[in-house]
Amino acid sequence: MSVVKNALPEADLKVVGEALQGALVDLVDLSLVAKQVHWNVVGPRFRSVHLQLDEVVTSARTHSDVVAERAAALGITPDGRARTVASAGAITGVPEGWIKDTDAVRILVDALSTVIARMRERIQATGDPDPVTEDILIGLTGEFEKHHWMFAAENA
């Protein structure tokens, strides 16, 4: 049941809904991964990496809210529950315990690469059915590409 009606045809709404839900899962997953690494990073670059990780967390949390609210505005119920994120998230490679600063950077580069690739697929999928959603995804992808560049430069 949808309590919100919109102008999108049902087929377009399905495509856009899947893109928004997938984006939400990836953003929640990224925020949790970055925070986990943030709590456990050690090494000579601890402080700079620690602070940089919080920037990613802030971006992911801010954009997850925008994505979830876009879904709700279209009548799609956003699902950011832990079990949903755990079952549909695509980020891998976060070990338990302390994480050396160089490994922390590598983990974030890999996580951001995964999220960016999936967002670019969603950008392609939503361009025709809903340019508003496409625009949201373009904006957040650009921001995460900047984070990716900054982390990649840490271990260059």
Side-chain angles (χ1 to χ4, degrees):
M1 170 189 80
S2 177
V3 295
V4 178
K5 301 297 178 200
N6 64 74
L8 290 179
E10 198 61 37
D12 290 350
L13 189 61
K14 182 177 180 346
V15 169
V16 172
E18 288 173 1
L20 288 167
Q21 180 57 39
L24 178 60
V25 164
D26 283 350
L27 292 167
V28 172
D29 196 16
L30 180 61
S31 73
L32 293 171
V33 164
K35 199 48 123 167
Q36 179 67 24
V37 175
H38 166 90
W39 291 323
N40 291 289
V41 66
V42 295
R45 294 182 295 157
F46 162 79
R47 182 160 173 74
S48 64
V49 173
H50 184 80
L51 294 172
Q52 199 173 357
L53 287 160
D54 262 345
E55 293 173 4
V56 173
V57 171
T58 298
S59 292
R61 288 178 176 168
T62 298
H63 288 294
S64 66
D65 198 44
V66 170
V67 165
E69 289 175 355
R70 176 65 184 157
L74 293 174
I76 302 158
T77 56
D79 186 355
R81 296 174 299 161
R83 103 182 55 167
T84 302
V85 174
S87 69
I91 300 172
T92 60
V94 182
E96 290 184 37
W98 301 115
I99 303 169
K100 190 166 171 27
D101 53 4
T102 53
D103 294 335
V105 168
R106 180 193 44 77
I107 290 165
L108 258 290
V109 167
D110 292 348
L112 287 162
S113 293
T114 298
V115 169
I116 290 164
R118 290 165 56 103
M119 291 299 178
R120 286 187 161 276
E121 291 172 5
R122 294 178 185 115
I123 290 167
Q124 291 295 319
T126 57
D128 286 335
D130 186 26
V132 175
T133 296
E134 177 193 38
D135 186 55
I136 290 169
L137 297 175
I138 288 169
L140 70 87
T141 300
E143 188 169 332
F144 288 110
E145 286 176 341
K146 181 178 177 183
H147 286 302
H148 180 272
W149 158 59
M150 291 185 167
F151 270 105
E154 288 275 342
N155 280 349

